[in-house]
Amino acid sequence: MPSKPPVYKKQNSFVEVRHRRVLKDVLPRLRETRTRLDSTSLDPYWQSVVRAAIEEALGEVPPPEGGYPPFTLHSQNVEEISLLADEDLPRYLFYRYRYDTFARRLKLDDFPPCLQIEPTSICNYRCTFCYQVDEEFTKKSNGMMGVMTLDLFQRIIDQAEGRCEAVTLASRGEPLICPDIEAMLRYAGGKFLALKLNTNAWFLDEKLCHAILESEVSTVVFSADAASEPLYSRMRVNGNLERVYDNIKRFREIRERYYPKARVVTRVSGVKVPGAEEFEEMEKFWGGLVDQVAFVKYNPWENAYDQSVNDIKEPCSDLWRRMFVWWDGKVNPCDVDFKSHLCIGNVKSDSLSNLWKSSKYMSLRGSHRKKNRVQCEPCVRCAFV
C-alpha cells in the first residue's frame, strides 16, 4: 500500500521578510509602471505579462480561471521591489509573475523563469540531510563529481541574459569551491535582477566577500541549520560554527563599510529536520548578522531513490518553474533527482531554450499533468509539488 507523506509546496517555504514593507508604498509605483509600458522597448509579450502582473497584484481583474490564486505581492516581493529602480520594475514583474503563477497554472513559454547553475557538485560538508552522504554520488570514479569550466558557464549566461532574471549559483555542491567562482561572479554580475548564491560560508574569505558584493548578487543564502554546538557540527558534518559565524560577520562588516548602497539581501537558511533548533533560537543567534532568517521544510534529499512509493498525484511545480544545469552541462528538471535519472540533455550540444521545450521535458510534464507521477522515477517517491 503506498505511503502518504506530507505534501510540500516549495513556493510556500519562501522566507518571510523580517522588516515588512507597507504594500501601499509599492502600489503607486506599479500604477506608474503600467502608464509607461507602451513607451518602453519591451516586446508585446513582455508587456502583456507585466500588465497581467500589475492588474492581478492591484486586484483589478477577476480571479484566474481554474481556481488558481491571483498573483500577489508578498512581503519578500515588496522588500525586493523597494531595492529596485523604477526602470527595473517591468523586468522584475515579468520574472516574478512567471515564477509565481506559471508554475501553479502549468503554463510554459520559451525559457525557464529560473535557471539554477551548478559551479561544482563537490562539497566539503556531509550534512546528514543532503545527497552528499550518498557514496555512489560522491565516488569520483562514478563521474558525478566535478567543476564547471568558465567557458561553459559563460555560454550558459549568454543564453540566459535578457531572457531570464532569476539565476541561482548552487545545487548539489558548494559553489565557492569552484576555482573560477570569482570570474563567474564577475561575468554574471549586473545581468540579472535576481542573481542568487547559496553557500555554507566555509570558504567565505575577504576576497570572496568583495567578489560577491562587486558582482551585484541580489540574494546570498548562508546555509547554517543551527545556532549552537554540538548541534551544528552534528547536522553539518565537517563544519565548524565558530568559523562560519566569523565569515558571515566579516561579510556583513565589508558590506556595511564598502558597499552601503548594495541591494543585496542576506539570509541564513535552515532545514527543519527532526531535532533542529526552533526558529526563535536561530533568529536570536543569526538575526544581527543577516537580513532574514528562515527554515525550509525537510525533504529526504539524502535518499530520494530509497523512499517508499507514494500516492501524490499533484504535478510538481518545478517542472514549470526552474531548470538545473550541472557542472558538466547536463540539464535536469530538479535536484531531488541528484543522480540525473531524468536528465533532459546537455547544454553543450543544444540550447537551453530547446531543452526547456524538448520532447523529453514535455513528456515528463505531461505525465505529471495527467496525474501519472507513478510513471516517473524518482517523482513517484518525492513529496514536493
Side-chain angles (χ1 to χ4, degrees):
M1 194 76 174
S3 61
K4 290 188 176 182
V7 174
Y8 302 139
K9 292 183 180 291
K10 286 189 176 181
Q11 61 268 30
N12 289 342
S13 68
F14 203 92
V15 64
E16 285 296 315
V17 177
R18 289 191 301 120
H19 304 293
R20 291 176 178 269
R21 306 283 178 161
V22 180
L23 184 58
K24 67 179 182 181
D25 295 335
V26 169
L27 300 184
R29 296 182 65 193
L30 296 185
R31 295 188 181 98
E32 181 62 26
T33 297
R34 180 168 54 186
T35 64
R36 296 195 308 267
L37 271 180
D38 291 336
S39 62
T40 66
S41 59
L42 297 177
D43 67 37
Y45 174 66
W46 275 63
Q47 288 193 33
S48 68
V49 171
V50 174
R51 200 177 301 278
I54 294 173
E55 290 176 349
E56 288 188 32
L58 295 175
E60 296 179 348
V61 293
E65 294 181 5
Y68 301 114
F71 175 62
T72 304
L73 292 178
H74 298 292
S75 55
Q76 75 270 9
N77 307 134
V78 177
E79 176 76 7
E80 291 163 351
I81 288 174
S82 72
L83 300 173
L84 293 174
D86 286 346
E87 57 266 27
D88 289 330
L89 281 183
R91 289 172 57 194
Y92 177 85
L93 291 168
F94 180 78
Y95 134 64
R96 196 70 216 185
Y97 184 81
R98 293 167 66 246
Y99 184 90
D100 285 352
T101 70
F102 279 25
R104 292 199 299 265
R105 302 173 193 180
L106 310 186
K107 186 175 179 179
L108 204 66
D109 61 15
D110 290 336
F111 208 84
C114 177
L115 192 64
Q116 196 141 342
I117 306 171
E118 174 184 87
T120 179
S121 58
I122 301 168
C123 189
N124 57 313
Y125 279 20
R126 291 294 180 269
C127 299
T128 56
F129 44 81
C130 180
Y131 5 74
Q132 292 286 338
V133 300
D134 189 306
E135 294 182 358
E136 180 184 356
F137 175 61
T138 56
K139 188 176 180 180
K140 291 182 179 179
S141 61
N142 287 337
M144 287 181 268
M145 293 288 100
V147 297
M148 183 175 285
T149 65
L150 180 59
D151 176 68
L152 178 58
F153 180 83
Q154 291 172 335
R155 287 161 54 191
I156 294 168
I157 294 298
D158 289 347
Q159 292 184 50
E161 185 179 6
R163 307 188 71 184
C164 177
E165 295 293 347
V167 173
T168 297
L169 304 185
S171 188
R172 300 174 297 176
E174 165 52 46
L176 299 189
I177 285 179
C178 180
D180 288 320
I181 189 63
E182 291 178 50
M184 290 175 173
L185 287 166
R186 283 195 299 271
Y187 195 78
K191 296 177 178 177
F192 308 98
L193 290 181
L195 180 61
K196 180 179 175 183
L197 174 75
N198 295 356
T199 175
N200 61 32
W202 180 269
F203 298 101
L204 191 63
D205 58 19
E206 184 174 351
K207 189 177 180 183
L208 281 169
C209 288
H210 282 285
I212 293 167
L213 289 160
E214 288 171 357
S215 301
E216 301 179 24
V217 174
S218 59
T219 305
V220 181
V221 179
F222 304 115
S223 302
D225 300 294
S228 64
E229 290 285 15
L231 180 60
Y232 180 90
S233 296
R234 188 164 66 243
M235 294 176 63
R236 303 191 67 80
V237 178
N238 298 339
N240 178 275
L241 180 59
E242 183 178 2
R243 172 171 172 156
V244 168
Y245 183 91
D246 288 344
N247 287 351
I248 297 175
K249 180 181 178 182
R250 179 192 297 117
F251 186 90
R252 184 200 65 181
E253 292 170 347
I254 290 174
R255 172 191 176 185
E256 291 177 347
R257 181 175 180 182
Y258 298 104
Y259 308 89
K261 296 183 180 180
R263 65 177 186 90
V264 63
V265 173
T266 56
R267 182 185 312 145
V268 161
S269 178
V271 177
K272 193 63 176 177
V273 296
E277 285 172 306
E278 295 301 318
F279 177 81
E280 290 75 15
E281 294 301 315
M282 292 281 286
E283 172 73 18
K284 182 179 178 180
F285 185 79
W286 294 108
L289 296 187
V290 296
D291 302 312
Q292 305 170 354
V293 177
F295 275 114
V296 296
K297 291 181 179 179
Y298 167 68
N299 187 52
W301 296 278
E302 74 278 10
N303 60 353
Y305 306 99
D306 299 327
Q307 295 300 302
S308 299
V309 170
N310 61 57
D311 60 358
I312 294 172
K313 291 181 169 49
E314 189 173 347
C316 178
S317 60
D318 263 2
L319 296 176
W320 286 265
R321 176 177 283 120
R322 74 181 79 227
M323 185 163 71
F324 292 76
V325 185
W326 297 158
W327 64 272
D328 54 359
K330 287 180 181 176
V331 168
N332 222 61
C334 78
D335 56 359
V336 172
D337 176 38
F338 61 92
K339 295 180 185 178
S340 310
H341 291 187
L342 299 172
C343 180
I344 303 301
N346 198 300
V347 73
K348 292 179 180 179
S349 55
D350 207 346
S351 71
L352 292 172
S353 184
N354 286 344
L355 291 165
W356 177 242
K357 300 195 75 173
S358 65
S359 59
K360 190 170 183 179
Y361 224 144
M362 296 301 285
S363 176
L364 179 60
R365 293 186 186 106
S367 294
H368 276 245
R369 187 191 288 270
K370 294 174 184 177
K371 300 182 179 182
N372 286 331
R373 286 174 70 136
V374 68
Q375 298 177 351
C376 314
E377 286 278 5
C379 307
V380 69
R381 304 174 190 277
C382 178
F384 274 137
V385 297

